[in-house]
Amino acid sequence: MSDEIAAIIGEMQLVGRLLHSRGIFAGRAGNLSARLADGRLLITRSGTHKALLDREALLLLDAQGAPLEAGKPSSEAPLHLAAYAARPEVGAVIHAHAPACTTLAMLHQSLDTAATEEGRIGLGRVPLLPPAEAGDPEAAARWGMEVANGAKAALLDAHGVIVWGRDLRDAFARLETCESLADLQWRMAVLRSTLER
Ligand SMILES: [Zn+2]
């Protein structure tokens, strides 16, 4: 295993455990990927537990997304590939069923990023992408277009959230910001409805 691949696996293990400990990854849901310097990609295999990642849990893809090893990539691989194709600075992508983000997405609500400075400056507009089956190429193309137009994250209607970052830590921070904003939005909506009663 190359030093670069070993380093990325170490970062994926760290981020996978941190997101699991925050309740952002649960069970086998979600997926992570990262781009190597030569353009190849490392992505979690279908059905892996993100707190228990090792080399076997990951699949190496070429720059176009074709597997270079036996096995099945995450069903959401097209969403990851679309982000990498959209911008050269995309170094990592994370998709999760983060509870607060997913609650908003289940209710077809957008994430209000204007509420805090981290939201306004760190994220900007977070689009709500229409509902789609896992691996749907149209949904991937839509997300790719949003990334090309400057989106750093999106809610997936009735499904979850996806973010990209310059590297895994950057994507992790963005995902955590999305989840904390969604949590804040949820609390504000509950309290507002209580106060207005
Ligand atoms: Zn999902």
Side-chain angles (χ1 to χ4, degrees):
M1 193 193 312
S2 76
D3 288 351
E4 187 189 16
I5 289 179
I8 287 178
I9 292 171
E11 290 292 283
M12 281 202 182
Q13 288 170 329
L14 175 66
V15 167
R17 285 198 198 107
L18 286 170
L19 289 172
H20 179 261
S21 71
R22 289 269 280 111
I24 290 175
F25 279 141
R28 292 181 167 76
N31 28 75
L32 300 112
S33 67
R35 177 146 60 185
L36 278 68
D38 65 7
R40 288 179 300 164
L41 306 166
L42 259 181
I43 188 165
T44 45
R45 290 177 192 262
S46 185
T48 53
H49 195 295
K50 285 14 154 235
L52 303 169
L53 293 175
D54 56 16
R55 178 66 185 88
E56 297 307 304
L58 302 165
L59 193 66
L60 196 59
L61 309 176
D62 71 14
Q64 284 69 46
L68 296 168
E69 300 170 325
K72 199 165 148 239
S74 155
S75 57
E76 298 294 2
L79 282 174
H80 291 245
L81 296 171
Y84 292 114
R87 280 182 178 266
E89 67 266 39
V90 176
V93 178
I94 308 177
H95 160 59
H97 301 170
C101 285
T102 304
T103 301
L104 292 184
M106 289 293 176
L107 298 173
H108 321 296
Q109 300 294 304
S110 295
L111 185 63
D112 175 16
T113 54
T116 68
E117 196 174 316
E118 308 89 81
R120 283 192 301 275
I121 295 166
L123 288 173
R125 189 182 65 91
V126 173
L128 173 65
L129 300 183
E133 296 291 317
D136 178 62
E138 271 182 40
R142 178 82 182 259
W143 162 234
M145 203 175 67
E146 293 285 3
V147 172
N149 288 335
K152 294 168 179 150
L155 290 190
L156 309 174
D157 193 290
H159 179 180
V161 56
I162 188 159
V163 301
W164 68 267
R166 291 181 302 279
D167 54 30
L168 283 157
R169 292 185 188 208
D170 190 34
F172 163 61
R174 282 180 182 168
L175 178 52
E176 205 174 26
T177 302
C178 285
E179 182 62 358
S180 77
L181 279 172
D183 186 59
L184 182 68
Q185 190 172 331
W186 179 353
R187 287 166 191 268
M188 284 168 69
V190 170
L191 189 55
R192 194 173 285 135
S193 75
T194 307
L195 292 172
E196 282 168 2
R197 233 174 253 160

